[in-house]
Amino acid sequence: MDTAKQEILSKVPEVTLIFWIMKILATTLGETGGDAVSMSMNLGYLVSTGLFAAIFIVAVIAQISAKRFHPVPYWTTIIATTTVGTTLADFADRSLGIGYAGGTIILFAFLMTSLFMGYRALGSVAVDTISSPKSEMFYWITIMFSQTLGTALGDWTADTAGLGYSGGAIVFSAMLAILATAYYRTTISRTTLFWSAFILTRPLGAVFGDFLDKPISRGGLALSRYSASVALFVLIASCILIFSQKAAKQRH
């Protein structure tokens, strides 16, 4: 298969430094944006989840229907997964009373099940094999679970574990640094490292988003959720405009 054909079939971006920067920005936006709609607009977790779920479905359909990778629909779908993940996790943890620990355990089980079923059905869960509608559907369902898990895990670490938002950010940043070191210094499966990093960037974004908009009395900066969300959106849009993102190369 020639390179041109590979690029046509690629539907996800290359995993580069700018990819991870945008992923953290998107997950932070998901936290501030989700809280802005569910809390600041007083729509509640359930209604907000329904609203964001509808946006997510439309975004996924548009992304899968696209003939080739394009950063705008891709990152729109990523943001949609992280906003619905925020309100869904909050609904399960708080409204249903499952709690942060219970929500984290349940969502982790769902995520592992999704990865296992994807591997059984597709033969691989490597990001560079995402080319068909079937593999894309698995990819986005798995991402959805990882984004929801990240919200619960971030809240659990910051609140229940008592580390606070800055402490939680330090913990998850350190874990990501360990994964980065493992990528360059070990032969650990790149697929395992990718999904581990993808999962951990979500709680990092969650605690950072909470740090931006939560009250000073709770360890936050008490910034407006609306202004923080707009600023993060502008940063993501700027990254799309400034940095060229190529489609991930498909395996032969």
Side-chain angles (χ1 to χ4, degrees):
M1 184 183 294
D2 58 31
T3 302
K5 187 64 174 179
Q6 288 174 356
E7 290 182 351
I8 290 175
L9 293 178
S10 298
K11 297 296 296 294
V12 297
E14 287 183 322
V15 181
T16 61
L17 177 61
I18 192 61
F19 171 87
W20 291 116
I21 291 174
M22 292 182 67
K23 172 60 164 58
I24 293 171
L25 289 173
T27 57
T28 307
L29 172 58
E31 191 71 20
T32 59
D35 288 349
V37 174
S38 63
M39 299 179 187
S40 297
M41 295 178 64
N42 295 316
L43 292 183
Y45 299 128
L46 183 58
V47 173
S48 298
T49 298
L51 174 63
F52 288 129
I55 296 173
F56 167 64
I57 291 171
V58 172
V60 167
I61 292 174
Q63 167 66 19
I64 293 178
S65 299
K67 300 301 181 182
R68 59 186 302 169
F69 166 74
H70 192 281
V72 172
Y74 178 83
W75 288 107
T76 297
T77 310
I78 287 289
I79 293 171
T81 63
T82 193
T83 49
V84 71
T86 295
T87 56
L88 180 59
D90 287 342
F91 175 72
D93 297 341
R94 301 170 186 174
S95 297
L96 296 182
I98 295 176
Y100 298 137
T104 298
I105 293 171
I106 292 173
L107 289 165
F108 181 77
F110 283 158
L111 176 60
M112 291 299 102
T113 299
S114 178
L115 287 169
F116 175 75
M117 293 181 66
Y119 183 82
R120 289 291 299 273
L122 303 171
S124 173
V125 293
V127 67
D128 57 7
T129 63
I130 307 302
S131 58
S132 66
K134 182 178 180 180
S135 61
E136 268 200 281
M137 185 61 68
F138 145 76
Y139 179 76
W140 290 113
I141 290 175
T142 304
I143 286 177
M144 178 66 186
F145 283 137
S146 75
Q147 305 283 43
T148 309
L149 167 64
T151 299
L153 181 58
D155 289 342
W156 184 19
T157 303
D159 296 333
T160 305
L163 294 180
Y165 305 125
S166 57
I170 292 173
V171 168
F172 293 120
S173 295
M175 294 175 73
L176 286 169
I178 292 172
L179 291 177
T181 301
Y183 179 86
Y184 290 106
R185 298 294 182 87
T186 73
T187 58
I188 296 175
S189 166
R190 297 303 185 249
T191 300
T192 299
L193 292 175
F194 169 81
W195 283 110
S196 298
F198 200 97
I199 293 167
L200 286 175
T201 52
R202 179 61 185 103
L204 176 60
V207 295
F208 188 60
D210 283 337
F211 174 69
L212 293 176
D213 63 32
K214 288 298 187 287
I216 294 176
S217 60
R218 294 181 57 189
L221 296 179
L223 299 179
S224 164
R225 294 185 179 111
Y226 300 121
S227 59
S229 298
V230 170
L232 289 163
F233 177 82
V234 170
L235 285 173
I236 294 171
S238 298
C239 287
I240 292 175
L241 292 173
I242 295 172
F243 300 100
S244 176
Q245 296 182 69
K246 298 179 180 179
K249 294 182 180 179
Q250 300 296 308
R251 289 182 176 181
H252 291 279

